[in-house]
Amino acid sequence: METSAIDQARATEFASGTTYLNTSTCGLLPRRALQAVRALADECAAGVRGGAGSFDAVDAARAGFARIAGVAPARVAVGGSVAAHVGLVAASLPPGAEVLAPTGEFSSVVSPFAVRGDLLMRYVPLAELAGAVRPGTALVAFSAAQSADGRVADLDAVRTAAAAHGARTMLDASQSAGWLPLDAGAYDYTVTGGYKFLLCPRGTSFLTVTEEAQGAVPSLYAGWVAAEDRWNSTYGPVEKLASDARRFDEPVAFLAYHGAEHSLELLAEVGVDAVYAHATGLAARFREGLASLGHEAVPGTSAIVAVPGLGGRESELAAAGVMVSARAGNLRAAFHLYNTVADVDRALEVLAG
């Protein structure tokens, strides 16, 4: 019997001690990523490395994300959080610019714009986002999949509406990259936390910027790591920043990026299309099972399933070894390559209990 890439990855890379359906909060680390983090930690503890880590690993992670996002590595900047990346985009806007976002959007996607105090923030329901773009809208900031309930935006419609009105787009792929195919080049900016469906350690985050949009973004993190020549830019003002998106790099947590290199390598081996089919198939089975129990999930085909009003049962599920999350009153379960039909059935068994 032929073993699929997903079956092989599950058998060799993951060893969860629970029924883990909480990737929307934090993904499981593959064994190869864990080994890389441990190796660097051991080297740092023993003093056998001339620094805290390797930029080769950082650049390998950059290339790994670029491959998943469908862009060249030169379009990718690395950092530690989505909020910091969004802050760069927010700093690029002139006073009075209008930012359009979905109601209830994740805080890190909208707060860097809102706290400026001199931008016009406008919020509409997710289903109305494309229709709400208007002349004068400077930026549409939204997630591909909503954190609270997993709903997937009408990506094509939003892009088309933004282009028709000359608005830029910023897509947050934190809840989608890794299971939902991503075409980062179709947006002016994308921001992605790496520690969810990309299976990276926390402390990894990726920003993509089109060549045209790069000219508008200020280099707020103009340290030596963002220089064209890193090691000859460690003293005095940086004479020349990197000529590509690396000019927006933040100083990174090397432990996280040493692991990220290998997590992204694994996803490339399995393939996001294969993960999409597997994860959405399990999610569909879970929705059907919930309906049979009298629970109506948020409709859709997302790998993230949310059940309004059921968030209070999170602790009950956790006590039974089923890890989910409660968000905005919803019970939220997320399915990824390491999950199985048995995981779905176990969660339904506890909910039926």
Side-chain angles (χ1 to χ4, degrees):
M1 181 176 179
E2 185 177 353
T3 301
S4 72
I6 286 181
D7 291 335
Q8 183 175 355
R10 186 188 307 115
T12 61
E13 296 287 349
F14 300 100
S16 175
T18 65
T19 300
Y20 194 79
L21 305 178
N22 203 18
T23 302
S24 279
T25 299
C26 189
L28 297 179
L29 282 181
R31 182 172 285 111
R32 66 180 74 178
L34 180 60
Q35 290 171 344
V37 172
R38 283 175 170 167
L40 176 59
D42 287 343
E43 290 177 1
C44 290
V48 298
R49 178 181 284 275
S54 169
F55 280 110
D56 289 342
V58 176
D59 291 335
R62 187 195 315 274
F65 178 78
R67 182 167 53 245
I68 288 172
V71 297
R75 296 278 187 92
V76 180
V78 298
S81 71
V82 164
H85 292 320
V86 177
L88 283 176
V89 179
S92 74
L93 297 177
E98 178 182 281
V99 178
L100 176 67
T103 304
E105 181 58 84
F106 192 72
S107 177
S108 296
V109 179
V110 294
S111 294
F113 301 105
V115 299
R116 271 191 49 171
D118 61 353
L119 299 176
L120 174 61
M121 301 299 298
R122 192 159 61 95
Y123 304 97
V124 299
L126 179 66
E128 301 173 15
L129 189 63
V133 184
R134 62 190 183 185
T137 300
L139 180 77
V140 186
F142 67 113
S143 294
Q146 287 291 298
S147 173
D149 57 20
R151 286 176 299 154
V152 177
D154 189 338
L155 303 177
D156 290 340
V158 175
R159 287 198 305 266
T160 299
H165 293 288
R168 283 183 167 154
T169 51
M170 187 195 78
L171 182 79
D172 173 33
S174 298
Q175 292 287 3
S176 58
W179 71 266
L180 184 68
L182 171 62
D183 178 13
Y187 306 90
D188 296 280
Y189 316 99
T190 70
V191 293
T192 308
Y195 62 94
K196 299 179 186 291
F197 292 90
L198 293 179
L199 309 176
C200 301
R202 187 153 190 152
T204 53
S205 187
F206 303 94
L207 166 71
T208 71
V209 190
T210 62
E211 291 181 4
E212 188 275 332
Q214 286 181 26
V217 179
S219 300
L220 296 182
Y221 313 125
W224 64 276
V225 298
E228 186 72 38
D229 183 354
R230 289 179 180 130
W231 292 111
N232 287 315
S233 302
T234 52
Y235 300 103
V238 173
E239 293 184 2
K240 183 181 180 182
L241 291 169
S243 57
D244 56 21
R246 194 169 61 76
R247 70 193 296 116
F248 308 121
D249 276 11
E250 299 175 60
V252 298
F254 280 114
L255 284 167
Y257 275 88
H258 273 240
E261 171 189 2
H262 299 282
S263 296
L264 296 169
E265 175 188 65
L266 173 64
L267 280 173
E269 292 172 5
V270 173
V272 173
D273 288 341
V275 176
Y276 175 86
H278 177 76
T280 58
L282 293 177
R285 182 184 180 93
F286 189 51
R287 287 189 183 91
E288 292 173 3
L290 288 165
S292 71
L293 297 176
H295 303 303
E296 185 176 353
V298 173
T301 58
S302 176
I304 303 165
V305 180
V307 191
L310 215 61
R313 298 191 66 179
E314 176 196 11
S315 58
E316 173 191 344
L317 286 156
V322 179
M323 308 307 294
V324 294
S325 51
R327 294 292 186 275
N330 301 318
L331 181 73
R332 185 184 69 179
F335 298 89
H336 204 6
L337 63 88
Y338 36 66
N339 293 122
T340 65
V341 167
D343 292 336
V344 176
D345 294 347
R346 174 58 181 157
L348 292 171
E349 178 186 23
V350 176
L351 287 170

